[in-house]
Amino acid sequence: MAGGSLAPGRAGAPPNHRKRKAPVPAAAATEDEAESEAQALEREVEELEEGLADLDRRILEHLHGTAARLADAAVTRLAALRPPARLEFPTVPQTSMAEEDQEQLEKLKILKFKVEANIADLPKVCEKMNESVIRCEKLENLSVNIHPVFRRKLL
């Protein structure tokens, strides 16, 4: 029997689920048992080695997949952080670049001088504008006959 029947003295003990072999004569049984145990151990070792190889293969596949996903994620993140593309200008020899820089500096100095001169003349211009406005107001207040040609048509 596979599970064996419960003996009267073992009524409360849990059943043993291991298979029991039928008793074999003592001398032949020990040799057969040794061979069968060796074969069973060999089979068990082979099964464990196959399971280990399968597990190793699955771990390697997982690591390769994780490495690929990590590389893709890093590339995506770096692409997102990359500043916008700059326009590339054609390279010019350094001597002409220095000459162009000097020309730009001279133009900038001239512009700066003109702006400063205009700012310095601004109070004079404001005075002349005020004088012109006052003259116009005086002319409006005078009761002088202005020739119709010089009058502006109002809309």
Side-chain angles (χ1 to χ4, degrees):
M1 288 199 294
S5 63
L6 294 177
R10 297 178 57 202
N16 189 354
H17 294 290
R18 291 187 183 168
K19 294 183 178 179
R20 293 188 184 186
K21 295 183 180 179
V24 184
T30 49
E31 288 179 16
D32 289 338
E33 272 186 40
E35 288 178 18
S36 66
E37 271 188 46
Q39 290 176 353
L41 285 175
E42 286 179 21
R43 272 187 267 130
E44 188 176 341
V45 168
E46 288 175 4
E47 289 175 4
L48 288 174
E49 285 176 349
E50 288 175 8
L52 183 63
D54 183 46
L55 185 61
D56 188 36
R57 179 189 52 81
R58 287 176 33 205
I59 288 173
L60 286 176
E61 287 175 0
H62 179 70
L63 288 176
H64 289 298
T66 303
R69 286 193 310 268
L70 180 63
D72 291 342
V75 167
T76 304
R77 180 72 176 147
L78 289 175
L81 294 175
R82 184 180 301 148
R86 293 181 285 156
L87 297 175
E88 296 295 327
F89 296 103
T91 57
V92 181
Q94 292 296 328
T95 55
S96 64
M97 191 73 153
E99 292 172 3
E100 289 177 8
D101 287 344
Q102 288 296 327
E103 290 176 11
Q104 291 292 330
L105 284 173
E106 289 175 15
K107 288 180 182 179
L108 187 61
K109 287 179 183 177
I110 292 170
L111 180 64
K112 185 178 178 182
F113 177 74
K114 287 183 178 180
V115 168
E116 288 175 351
N118 286 339
I119 291 173
D121 290 340
L122 195 59
K124 294 177 188 175
V125 171
C126 286
E127 285 178 21
K128 288 185 179 184
M129 281 180 49
N130 287 336
E131 290 174 3
S132 298
V133 168
I134 291 172
R135 285 186 202 148
C136 288
E137 288 175 354
K138 284 183 182 177
L139 281 176
E140 287 177 359
N141 292 337
L142 293 175
S143 57
V144 177
N145 291 334
I146 300 174
H147 195 277
V149 173
F150 298 110
R151 289 192 185 179
R152 206 167 54 167
K153 292 182 181 179
L154 297 173
L155 295 175

